[in-house]
Amino acid sequence: MIEKLEFLIAVAKEKSFSRAAEICGVTQPTLSAGVKQLEDSLGVLLVNRSSRFHGLTAEGERVLEWAKRIVGDARAMRQEVRTLKEGLAGQLKIAVIPTALGIVSSLTTPYREKHPGVRFSVISASSSEVLTMLDNLEIDAGITYLDNEPLGRVRTVPLCSERYRLLTFADKPLGDRERVTWAEIGRIDLCLLTPDMQNRRIVEQLIRKGGAEPVPALESNSVILLFDHVKTGRWATVLPEKLAKTLGVAPPLRSIPIVEPEAVHEIGLVAPQREPVIPLVAALVAEAKKLAGSQALAD
């Protein structure tokens, strides 16, 4: 039954029987037969299909929610039993918004020191992708904004506050200032993150409040690419203060506080709202709480 529920989750995510079969490591006929057996056992049609996938039925959507819960609990049970026998080990999958990548090592490094049997897989993703992957059981935890857009049913641990800086060369517009306003930011050429990133939406809202319409000269989903462009001396960007420090700002490049208003957004860990907590995730939550405490003292 668990395997058949995993088939349904994969089909709903991939919207394709062939891709779902590939993800699950089985043949397409095996996956299709598994979904059909699940339908027969429940006595309802779960998938609208002919020769192709055409979405889930209303019953299928409801069963999908149960499937995620049941499969998640089954994986948690297996991991907890394995931990009792072998200690904490395995792979911990984390998705992180680009602007928060600079704080990941503050979690993974002390975690690894305590639990050397754990390996990490860390990917960069938009805030919406973080939540979707968490819901689809593709990751164990995420790091994203906690206070700007709805999160849904997740466990959260605040980690730090995000404040914003203008990164530009000293001889460029606004480059000689000690602080700048969002209204002034809106009047210069910028390179920004792509619109699917929540940081971009936050920056756009603040610029619009300043009375300007943001029209970036370049956009990318990579903060490294943005920073690399700024280092040429021909571009400017807006990045969180902590990320700017991580990337390293040295003259003639400047990191200038943005005020009026001084915007602050909360970044934190998100994990499934499940009891009992998966041991790998429980250890990560514990590290997140320690990091949050040390950040509060530093602030």
Side-chain angles (χ1 to χ4, degrees), residues 215-294:
V215 183
L218 178 146
E219 56 186 25
S220 171
N221 64 356
S222 167
V223 293
I224 298 299
L225 187 142
L226 298 184
F227 187 64
D228 194 51
H229 275 72
V230 173
K231 287 194 298 180
T232 67
R234 298 178 179 273
W235 306 78
T237 192
V238 175
L239 289 179
E241 180 182 15
K242 291 181 185 295
L243 181 59
K245 288 180 180 178
T246 299
L247 293 172
V249 177
L253 185 61
R254 296 199 63 214
S255 173
I256 306 169
I258 307 173
V259 297
E260 293 184 24
E262 183 179 359
V264 180
H265 286 283
E266 195 169 50
I267 302 290
L269 183 78
V270 292
Q273 187 67 269
R274 179 181 296 119
E275 292 293 346
V277 183
I278 295 175
L280 285 174
V281 175
L284 184 65
V285 169
E287 288 301 331
K289 289 179 178 178
K290 290 179 183 177
L291 176 61
S294 65

Side-chain angles (χ1 to χ4, degrees), residues 39-65:
E39 291 177 324
D40 291 342
S41 67
L42 295 174
V44 294
L45 187 67
L46 301 176
V47 180
N48 290 313
R49 61 186 182 275
S50 52
S51 59
R52 294 185 177 183
F53 174 81
H54 293 292
L56 299 181
T57 64
E59 293 85 355
E61 292 287 355
R62 188 59 180 155
V63 171
L64 177 63
E65 294 303 314

Side-chain angles (χ1 to χ4, degrees), residues 120-157:
F120 299 93
S121 174
V122 182
I123 61 171
S124 175
S126 68
S127 56
S128 60
E129 288 172 337
V130 169
L131 297 177
T132 297
M133 287 189 285
L134 198 64
D135 186 54
N136 287 334
L137 309 178
E138 298 172 77
I139 57 173
D140 300 300
I143 298 176
T144 187
Y145 293 97
L146 301 185
D147 62 351
N148 191 55
E149 295 178 357
L151 293 175
R153 190 171 176 270
V154 294
R155 181 192 308 269
T156 64
V157 181

Side-chain angles (χ1 to χ4, degrees), residues 1-66:
M1 176 63 75
I2 297 297
E3 182 182 55
K4 295 178 179 65
L5 293 174
E6 289 179 333
F7 288 171
L8 180 66
I9 293 170
V11 169
K13 173 183 176 290
E14 298 297 327
K15 298 179 171 55
S16 163
F17 282 92
S18 60
R19 290 197 300 270
E22 186 177 346
I23 292 293
C24 293
V26 298
T27 64
Q28 186 172 335
T30 297
L31 183 134
S32 297
V35 173
K36 182 64 168 62
Q37 290 166 9
L38 183 61
E39 291 177 324
D40 291 342
S41 67
L42 295 174
V44 294
L45 187 67
L46 301 176
V47 180
N48 290 313
R49 61 186 182 275
S50 52
S51 59
R52 294 185 177 183
F53 174 81
H54 293 292
L56 299 181
T57 64
E59 293 85 355
E61 292 287 355
R62 188 59 180 155
V63 171
L64 177 63
E65 294 303 314
W66 280 101

